[in-house]
Amino acid sequence: MTKAIRINRVGGPEVMELVDVDLPPPGPGEAQVRHGAIGLNFIDVYFRTGLYPQPLPGGLGMEGAGTVEAVGQGVTEVKVGDRVAYAGRPNGAYAEARNMPASQLLVLPEKIGFDIAAAMMLQGLTVQYLLHRTVHLKAGDTILFHAAAGGVGLIACQWAKVLGVTLIGTVGSDEKAALATENGADHVINYNRENFTERVREITGGKGVCAVYDSIGKDTFTASLDCLAPLGTMVSFGNASGPVPPVALSELNNRGSLFITRPSLGAYMATREDLEAAAKSLFGVVNSGAVKIDVRQRYNLADVAQAHIDLEARKTTGSTIVLP
């Protein structure tokens, strides 16, 4: 038996229950991982509330790090005793231990501990594809990144600096503004005091940015389009404030032949080759110290409901982990 969070219905944080579950031996192609730390991400809220559907009853959590305790038939990617981490489906990381497809597991470098690994895999791999593949950024480009003091945002602030990209970040408080600045944001806009569209135009001399990265959704989407330079790209990769409303294609034309995309980690990491290449890139910038992972909140597995409450209230900054 192992302890794990299960939900039988969608809803608020109260639907999450800590229960004992049977953990069978890993099947073919699977490895059993004993978690040292578990990542907490806003996508977990989407599954809990039903915005992203999944079969019920089910688990939550898409990110973890730990030690391989057993492997199933045909597994070649990892072996018993390996220190590993992962990010992606199937859900179920909120658990002391679980079976995972071995093809999704990555062996950790010696310098990266479980806390850092659990805090960086989903967010770090997300930033990797956003900055390197969704838009092919080059030195001298200017981008707008919403929620710059969140876990993804702080990694993006640092990684943009590595690439020579000017990052304008938005935040909701002076404390978060200072945090984004400390992590490399070139300009920070407090959207509770300033109109971010007007400030972006001021900062760029009226030109706009080549890309907007938006995980907020409904509240920021339309105004973000007005921050883009002609031929710019709107990257909508989250819905923290609610789903983005329908947009007419003519609006993209009216604003300068804009591009729009709704990327996902699963699509960008669909092959083992892509996953290993992205992880090599992420491990490289973390090992070098160019990107530092800031774990600012820790919760016990039994207290994960409070973690969700704090996450949804935007009380968290940086990365958050859950300890089994």
Side-chain angles (χ1 to χ4, degrees):
M1 300 288 282
T2 188
K3 291 194 177 297
I5 294 292
R6 291 289 183 266
I7 60 172
N8 293 293
R9 66 189 193 282
V10 298
E14 71 280 356
V15 304
M16 295 184 290
E17 300 178 53
L18 184 64
V19 298
D20 290 318
V21 298
D22 289 321
L23 184 62
E30 292 184 335
Q32 191 167 105
V33 179
R34 174 69 54 180
H35 286 138
I38 301 154
L40 180 81
N41 298 282
F42 217 99
I43 194 171
D44 304 343
V45 174
Y46 301 157
F47 281 107
R48 192 204 73 218
T49 61
L51 178 63
Y52 291 178
Q54 68 168 339
L56 295 177
L60 290 174
M62 297 178 63
E63 178 180 38
T67 303
V68 175
E69 291 191 322
V71 296
Q73 182 180 356
V75 170
T76 59
E77 295 88 351
V78 296
K79 64 183 185 301
V80 172
D82 279 348
R83 299 168 61 257
V84 298
Y86 64 87
R89 299 181 74 173
N91 279 330
Y94 292 2
E96 292 175 335
R98 69 179 301 200
N99 294 327
M100 275 291 293
S103 61
Q104 293 193 32
L105 299 176
L106 295 156
V107 177
L108 288 170
E110 290 183 8
K111 292 182 180 179
I112 299 178
F114 291 147
D115 283 16
I116 296 299
M120 80 176 193
M121 293 303 296
L122 192 145
Q123 295 170 349
L125 290 174
T126 296
V127 174
Q128 199 282 333
Y129 80 71
L130 288 176
L131 300 189
H132 289 82
R133 296 179 64 193
T134 304
V135 181
H136 296 285
L137 298 175
K138 62 185 184 301
D141 284 342
T142 300
I143 63 174
L144 175 64
F145 211 102
H146 289 299
V152 173
L154 292 183
I155 295 173
C157 288
Q158 298 174 73
W159 212 328
K161 190 68 67 177
V162 174
L163 298 175
V165 169
T166 297
L167 184 144
I168 304 169
T170 69
V171 297
S173 70
D174 290 341
E175 178 187 9
K176 290 183 177 181
L179 187 58
T181 300
E182 290 170 12
N183 281 269
D186 296 280
H187 306 274
V188 182
I189 302 166
N190 183 338
Y191 55 74
N192 285 318
R193 287 211 312 260
E194 301 176 286
N195 180 305
F196 70 81
T197 303
E198 292 177 359
R199 283 288 293 125
V200 167
R201 290 291 171 178
E202 289 177 15
I203 292 167
T204 62
K207 295 178 181 179
V209 296
C210 71
V212 175
Y213 294 92
D214 185 8
S215 61
I216 304 300
K218 175 175 63 68
D219 290 353
T220 51
F221 180 80
T222 302
S224 293
L225 294 178
D226 293 327
C227 295
L228 285 164
L231 308 184
T233 302
M234 177 68 190
V235 184
S236 176
F237 69 101
N239 310 288
S241 66
V244 173
V247 58
L249 290 178
S250 59
E251 290 300 312
L252 304 180
N253 176 50
N254 294 341
R255 287 173 165 85
S257 295
L258 303 180
F259 296 86
I260 185 168
T261 183
R262 181 61 172 87
S264 70
L265 184 73
Y268 277 89
M269 306 296 151
T271 69
R272 181 72 184 180
E273 182 181 14
D274 285 339
L275 177 61
E276 289 181 344
K280 181 179 180 181
S281 174
L282 173 61
F283 293 161
V285 291
V286 172
N287 265 336
S288 72
V291 172
K292 295 179 173 61
I293 307 302
D294 191 4
V295 182
R296 300 180 71 86
Q297 296 83 210
R298 290 174 169 84
Y299 297 85
N300 292 323
L301 185 60
D303 301 322
V304 74
Q306 186 61 52
H308 274 231
I309 290 169
D310 294 344
L311 184 65
E312 289 183 272
R314 301 187 185 181
K315 291 182 178 179
T316 63
T317 54
S319 298
T320 304
I321 61 171
V322 176
L323 300 174

